[in-house]
Amino acid sequence: MSTNFNEFVILFHNFFYPTSGYGSAATTKQPHPLNIFYDDNGLHFEVACTGLTKDDVKVDIEDDILKISYNKPEEEKELHPGTIHRGLSKKSFSLGYKISAKYDLSLALAKLENGLLEISIPIAEKAKPKTIKIK
């Protein structure tokens, strides 16, 4: 079995789920619906936040750790007496990812629109390819 050690394999470790270990974000089971991808502009997270507002979700950066969380309030709405199926629920979640120094967390941007939290982290200037002039 061949292991491809690209930047995605060593980038992520979910600190809130210690059994996740350091592994590929593509093959590690995530505890909450999300997409993680990178492109020429940087690293991007798309986190499902159906029914939540920007005031409900918390995004924190501590050193090289990106933390995304929602704490469900204690009071639970009583179910309608005619409920046949309940498939939607606002569940608490805590996600924490160690981000490679290749990305500049100090320039991260987040927006929540239509139930999708989008976080973009640009590539650090020091990590961008450079061309030097030959004297």
Side-chain angles (χ1 to χ4, degrees):
M1 181 171 121
S2 170
T3 304
N4 182 9
F5 285 104
N6 64 26
E7 62 189 317
F8 233 35
V9 172
I10 59 174
L11 257 193
F12 303 104
H13 172 68
N14 188 332
F15 280 81
F16 294 103
Y17 294 88
T19 57
S20 69
Y22 284 93
S24 168
T27 58
T28 303
K29 182 173 177 8
Q30 300 298 321
H32 185 78
L34 79 153
N35 295 327
I36 305 170
F37 63 94
Y38 66 95
D39 59 20
D40 292 340
N41 297 316
L43 183 62
H44 307 278
F45 288 77
E46 296 175 333
V47 184
C49 294
T50 307
L52 302 178
T53 68
K54 65 182 182 178
D55 295 327
D56 295 331
V57 182
K58 189 173 177 187
V59 178
D60 292 313
I61 296 170
E62 292 180 20
D63 298 320
D64 59 352
I65 309 295
L66 173 68
K67 296 179 180 180
I68 309 160
S69 62
Y70 163 69
N71 288 316
K72 180 180 176 180
E74 290 297 319
E75 69 278 354
E76 179 67 28
K77 255 170 89 172
E78 196 171 307
L79 289 179
H80 184 279
T83 300
I84 296 170
H85 174 75
R86 182 172 182 194
L88 297 176
S89 67
K90 295 179 185 176
K91 296 179 183 176
S92 294
F93 61 87
S94 291
L95 307 170
Y97 295 96
K98 181 175 177 69
I99 305 298
S100 167
K102 176 179 179 175
Y103 301 98
D104 190 346
L105 273 168
S106 69
L107 298 176
L109 298 173
K111 73 175 182 177
L112 180 61
E113 200 172 275
N114 297 323
L116 187 66
L117 173 64
E118 297 178 18
I119 301 170
S120 297
I121 307 167
I123 296 173
E125 280 299 318
K126 64 183 178 188
K128 288 182 180 176
K130 294 171 182 53
T131 301
I132 57 171
K133 278 193 165 189
I134 301 172
K135 295 183 180 184

